[in-house]
Amino acid sequence: MGVFPFINTETTQTTASQELPMFREYAYDFENRCLKLDASGKTYLVEGNEAIRIWIYFALGTARYRYTAYDAAFGSEIEDQLIGQSMGDEIVQMELERFITEALMCNPYIEELSDFDFVLRKDGIDAVFTCRTVYGEDRN
């Protein structure tokens, strides 16, 4: 019996050590903003980092707390907290990195985000970063 007798440490340790199932998402065409179709015209699933890249795209593009279809952990607060705010470029980049990290680290398949690069454009900002997942590194 541990210090906290109401916590079953055997169950907690067993759950934590179990492997995650293969991460899957429907294949997505980022340029045309639609699901990809196979030769027979049906949607299909992709796995691993390709699937996580799709999940990242939707997590960052979905406003957190706005849609009841998603739980409170899904989405980002970039639109609500940064768009239209008057801040210096350096502060915007720091906040953007923080919001991206908060939005993505809820995914148990993502282990680390690093090497953030920001490109300021006239109409916005592009963010590129390295994402280390249980499947290896990927640059997004």
Side-chain angles (χ1 to χ4, degrees), residues 26-135:
Y26 283 98
Y28 191 75
D29 182 343
F30 295 104
E31 288 182 29
N32 296 313
R33 295 184 172 186
C34 63
L35 294 175
K36 289 183 177 180
L37 303 176
D38 63 14
S40 64
K42 295 182 180 181
T43 58
Y44 61 95
L45 293 170
V46 293
E47 299 179 336
N49 276 346
E50 185 177 356
I52 291 175
R53 192 176 311 115
I54 294 164
W55 183 89
I56 288 171
Y57 175 80
F58 283 105
L60 293 178
T62 302
R64 184 177 286 168
Y65 311 119
R66 185 172 300 164
Y67 305 101
T68 57
Y70 301 112
D71 82 10
F74 186 79
S76 77
E77 297 178 62
I78 295 169
E79 182 181 331
D80 294 336
Q81 301 295 325
L82 284 181
I83 306 298
Q85 302 295 325
S86 59
M87 297 183 232
D89 292 344
E90 189 174 310
I91 293 172
V92 168
Q93 291 175 18
M94 288 179 5
E95 285 295 287
L96 190 54
E97 182 175 339
R98 181 174 70 89
F99 285 127
I100 290 170
T101 302
E102 287 176 2
L104 302 184
M105 290 308 295
C106 68
N107 186 320
Y109 293 82
I110 296 175
E111 296 176 342
E112 178 183 33
L113 302 173
S114 62
D115 304 324
F116 282 84
D117 290 317
F118 300 99
V119 177
L120 299 171
R121 296 187 334 247
K122 187 176 183 179
D123 61 342
I125 187 168
D126 287 332
V128 179
F129 53 90
T130 299
C131 178
R132 185 169 47 88
T133 72
V134 296
Y135 307 114

